Amino acid sequence: MACAAADGGSTFALLELSWLREQTSDRQGAERLAHTAYRAGNSGALVLLARSREKAGDKYGAESLVLQAARSGDSRVLNEFVLRREKTGDSAGAERLATAGGGKVVLQLARIWESDGRRTEAERLYQHAADQGQTQALRELARLKHQAGDHDAAEEYARAAACAGHVVALCDLACMCAEKGLSTDADRLHRAAVDAGYGGALTHLAGLRAQTDPRWEDLPRYGLTADGDLSGPWHFESSGRPTSGLRCQVP
């Protein structure tokens, strides 16, 4: 049935036949069928083919196919191969494949290295990801620089992330301002993050303002008014509509 379906143009049937050829050690036949399926539009065929090449000891041939699969939109196999390289002690191979493929796997590998205490290598990967336009990498670099005591560089990276559209980076900048005693700037940045839709900024803003007015501890619970003031507890009228002591009642 698989043969008939394959003759009818089914790419899934081609993959099944490829797998069957692989099980009978007919690797050339398996790869030929996988290529046919890929040309017919099934990018998953490259995954099968890459694993086949890896199993056969063709490391670089497998990596070439993995990169093709990633460019076709299937990044799972790229993650799989990068992590396999790292787990087997081939960090150079993991980095080569991750940086060639790009995407979030670069950040994933950098975090693994950082957790292993390899901060210099991790920073290099974060920088590569940042150069490729990943704004989260800018935040990671800001964090590393801040931890290392290089506050100017940390602020520069955080500002770059914020300017690139990473809303949470506004809170990073706000916290840096707060550490330097620039409470007005910190407040402004937290408000900007809230206005941009990041609800977590309310918690940061509450902590900052509660230092001088304990009432602001309720900010994450009640939120802000349209004018930026602390909203009060919600009450319900007989109509069932919520109102707040610091908001205008809706007629």
mmCIF file of all heavy atoms in Angstrom, residues 129-148:
data_model
loop_
_atom_site.group_PDB
_atom_site.id
_atom_site.type_symbol
_atom_site.label_atom_id
_atom_site.label_comp_id
_atom_site.label_asym_id
_atom_site.label_seq_id
_atom_site.Cartn_x
_atom_site.Cartn_y
_atom_site.Cartn_z
ATOM 1 N N ALA A 129 24.070 36.320 18.737
ATOM 2 C CA ALA A 129 22.615 36.367 18.595
ATOM 3 C C ALA A 129 22.121 37.805 18.505
ATOM 4 O O ALA A 129 21.214 38.125 17.726
ATOM 5 C CB ALA A 129 21.950 35.647 19.768
ATOM 6 N N ALA A 130 22.726 38.687 19.300
ATOM 7 C CA ALA A 130 22.347 40.094 19.259
ATOM 8 C C ALA A 130 22.658 40.701 17.895
ATOM 9 O O ALA A 130 21.864 41.477 17.348
ATOM 10 C CB ALA A 130 23.062 40.867 20.365
ATOM 11 N N ASP A 131 23.808 40.347 17.347
ATOM 12 C CA ASP A 131 24.193 40.856 16.028
ATOM 13 C C ASP A 131 23.240 40.380 14.943
ATOM 14 O O ASP A 131 23.106 41.023 13.891
ATOM 15 C CB ASP A 131 25.620 40.427 15.689
ATOM 16 C CG ASP A 131 26.664 41.081 16.581
ATOM 17 O OD1 ASP A 131 26.342 42.118 17.199
ATOM 18 O OD2 ASP A 131 27.791 40.550 16.675
ATOM 19 N N GLN A 132 22.580 39.237 15.201
ATOM 20 C CA GLN A 132 21.620 38.693 14.241
ATOM 21 C C GLN A 132 20.214 39.245 14.465
ATOM 22 O O GLN A 132 19.268 38.828 13.796
ATOM 23 C CB GLN A 132 21.594 37.163 14.336
ATOM 24 C CG GLN A 132 22.912 36.493 13.980
ATOM 25 C CD GLN A 132 23.372 36.824 12.573
ATOM 26 O OE1 GLN A 132 22.612 36.688 11.632
ATOM 27 N NE2 GLN A 132 24.622 37.256 12.427
ATOM 28 N N GLY A 133 20.073 40.176 15.433
ATOM 29 C CA GLY A 133 18.799 40.830 15.628
ATOM 30 C C GLY A 133 17.916 40.273 16.727
ATOM 31 O O GLY A 133 16.746 40.657 16.834
ATOM 32 N N GLN A 134 18.445 39.393 17.580
ATOM 33 C CA GLN A 134 17.645 38.839 18.667
ATOM 34 C C GLN A 134 17.712 39.786 19.872
ATOM 35 O O GLN A 134 18.736 39.876 20.553
ATOM 36 C CB GLN A 134 18.139 37.443 19.050
ATOM 37 C CG GLN A 134 17.975 36.414 17.942
ATOM 38 C CD GLN A 134 18.136 35.006 18.441
ATOM 39 O OE1 GLN A 134 17.488 34.588 19.391
ATOM 40 N NE2 GLN A 134 19.017 34.251 17.804
ATOM 41 N N THR A 135 16.607 40.447 20.153
ATOM 42 C CA THR A 135 16.606 41.449 21.219
ATOM 43 C C THR A 135 16.770 40.828 22.598
ATOM 44 O O THR A 135 17.308 41.476 23.507
ATOM 45 C CB THR A 135 15.313 42.277 21.181
ATOM 46 O OG1 THR A 135 14.176 41.399 21.267
ATOM 47 C CG2 THR A 135 15.225 43.073 19.895
ATOM 48 N N GLN A 136 16.326 39.584 22.781
ATOM 49 C CA GLN A 136 16.506 38.932 24.081
ATOM 50 C C GLN A 136 17.984 38.778 24.397
ATOM 51 O O GLN A 136 18.392 38.848 25.568
ATOM 52 C CB GLN A 136 15.809 37.580 24.120
ATOM 53 C CG GLN A 136 15.950 36.811 25.432
ATOM 54 C CD GLN A 136 15.403 37.584 26.623
ATOM 55 O OE1 GLN A 136 14.404 38.300 26.500
ATOM 56 N NE2 GLN A 136 16.024 37.442 27.785
ATOM 57 N N ALA A 137 18.796 38.579 23.374
ATOM 58 C CA ALA A 137 20.239 38.456 23.578
ATOM 59 C C ALA A 137 20.815 39.749 24.143
ATOM 60 O O ALA A 137 21.759 39.725 24.955
ATOM 61 C CB ALA A 137 20.931 38.095 22.268
ATOM 62 N N LEU A 138 20.265 40.883 23.738
ATOM 63 C CA LEU A 138 20.717 42.167 24.285
ATOM 64 C C LEU A 138 20.424 42.240 25.778
ATOM 65 O O LEU A 138 21.244 42.736 26.562
ATOM 66 C CB LEU A 138 20.031 43.316 23.553
ATOM 67 C CG LEU A 138 20.437 43.531 22.093
ATOM 68 C CD1 LEU A 138 19.487 44.509 21.420
ATOM 69 C CD2 LEU A 138 21.877 44.040 22.009
ATOM 70 N N ARG A 139 19.260 41.737 26.190
ATOM 71 C CA ARG A 139 18.927 41.714 27.619
ATOM 72 C C ARG A 139 19.886 40.804 28.390
ATOM 73 O O ARG A 139 20.299 41.120 29.509
ATOM 74 C CB ARG A 139 17.502 41.220 27.834
ATOM 75 C CG ARG A 139 16.418 42.226 27.519
ATOM 76 C CD ARG A 139 15.096 41.772 28.106
ATOM 77 N NE ARG A 139 15.103 41.871 29.551
ATOM 78 C CZ ARG A 139 14.594 40.955 30.378
ATOM 79 N NH1 ARG A 139 14.082 39.834 29.906
ATOM 80 N NH2 ARG A 139 14.624 41.141 31.688
ATOM 81 N N GLU A 140 20.214 39.671 27.793
ATOM 82 C CA GLU A 140 21.134 38.747 28.456
ATOM 83 C C GLU A 140 22.509 39.383 28.612
ATOM 84 O O GLU A 140 23.163 39.235 29.656
ATOM 85 C CB GLU A 140 21.240 37.443 27.663
ATOM 86 C CG GLU A 140 19.934 36.699 27.441
ATOM 87 C CD GLU A 140 19.345 36.121 28.718
ATOM 88 O OE1 GLU A 140 19.986 36.212 29.790
ATOM 89 O OE2 GLU A 140 18.229 35.572 28.650
ATOM 90 N N LEU A 141 22.953 40.097 27.601
ATOM 91 C CA LEU A 141 24.242 40.788 27.684
ATOM 92 C C LEU A 141 24.202 41.874 28.743
ATOM 93 O O LEU A 141 25.165 42.068 29.496
ATOM 94 C CB LEU A 141 24.594 41.384 26.319
ATOM 95 C CG LEU A 141 25.044 40.380 25.251
ATOM 96 C CD1 LEU A 141 25.041 41.026 23.866
ATOM 97 C CD2 LEU A 141 26.434 39.836 25.572
ATOM 98 N N ALA A 142 23.084 42.584 28.822
ATOM 99 C CA ALA A 142 22.938 43.613 29.856
ATOM 100 C C ALA A 142 23.030 42.985 31.244
ATOM 101 O O ALA A 142 23.670 43.535 32.151
ATOM 102 C CB ALA A 142 21.597 44.332 29.686
ATOM 103 N N ARG A 143 22.394 41.837 31.403
ATOM 104 C CA ARG A 143 22.426 41.147 32.707
ATOM 105 C C ARG A 143 23.848 40.714 33.057
ATOM 106 O O ARG A 143 24.297 40.909 34.204
ATOM 107 C CB ARG A 143 21.501 39.929 32.650
ATOM 108 C CG ARG A 143 21.494 39.086 33.922
ATOM 109 C CD ARG A 143 20.521 37.929 33.792
ATOM 110 N NE ARG A 143 20.763 37.136 32.612
ATOM 111 C CZ ARG A 143 21.721 36.214 32.507
ATOM 112 N NH1 ARG A 143 22.550 35.999 33.532
ATOM 113 N NH2 ARG A 143 21.872 35.522 31.393
ATOM 114 N N LEU A 144 24.564 40.136 32.083
ATOM 115 C CA LEU A 144 25.935 39.691 32.346
ATOM 116 C C LEU A 144 26.833 40.870 32.722
ATOM 117 O O LEU A 144 27.650 40.775 33.649
ATOM 118 C CB LEU A 144 26.496 38.973 31.120
ATOM 119 C CG LEU A 144 26.012 37.551 30.850
ATOM 120 C CD1 LEU A 144 26.697 36.994 29.601
ATOM 121 C CD2 LEU A 144 26.289 36.636 32.036
ATOM 122 N N LYS A 145 26.697 41.962 31.991
ATOM 123 C CA LYS A 145 27.522 43.140 32.273
ATOM 124 C C LYS A 145 27.188 43.716 33.643
ATOM 125 O O LYS A 145 28.081 44.137 34.390
ATOM 126 C CB LYS A 145 27.318 44.198 31.186
ATOM 127 C CG LYS A 145 27.835 43.805 29.813
ATOM 128 C CD LYS A 145 29.336 43.564 29.831
ATOM 129 C CE LYS A 145 29.855 43.293 28.424
ATOM 130 N NZ LYS A 145 31.331 43.006 28.417
ATOM 131 N N HIS A 146 25.922 43.716 33.985
ATOM 132 C CA HIS A 146 25.505 44.241 35.289
ATOM 133 C C HIS A 146 26.081 43.381 36.407
ATOM 134 O O HIS A 146 26.571 43.894 37.421
ATOM 135 C CB HIS A 146 23.982 44.277 35.362
ATOM 136 C CG HIS A 146 23.457 44.971 36.579
ATOM 137 N ND1 HIS A 146 23.163 44.302 37.754
ATOM 138 C CD2 HIS A 146 23.182 46.286 36.821
ATOM 139 C CE1 HIS A 146 22.727 45.158 38.647
ATOM 140 N NE2 HIS A 146 22.725 46.366 38.116
ATOM 141 N N GLN A 147 26.035 42.064 36.230
ATOM 142 C CA GLN A 147 26.579 41.152 37.236
ATOM 143 C C GLN A 147 28.088 41.317 37.376
ATOM 144 O O GLN A 147 28.641 41.124 38.470
ATOM 145 C CB GLN A 147 26.240 39.712 36.869
ATOM 146 C CG GLN A 147 24.760 39.370 36.982
ATOM 147 C CD GLN A 147 24.439 37.981 36.468
ATOM 148 O OE1 GLN A 147 25.282 37.316 35.845
ATOM 149 N NE2 GLN A 147 23.220 37.524 36.704
ATOM 150 N N ALA A 148 28.740 41.674 36.274
ATOM 151 C CA ALA A 148 30.194 41.853 36.295
ATOM 152 C C ALA A 148 30.599 43.233 36.805
ATOM 153 O O ALA A 148 31.795 43.526 36.941
ATOM 154 C CB ALA A 148 30.761 41.628 34.897
#
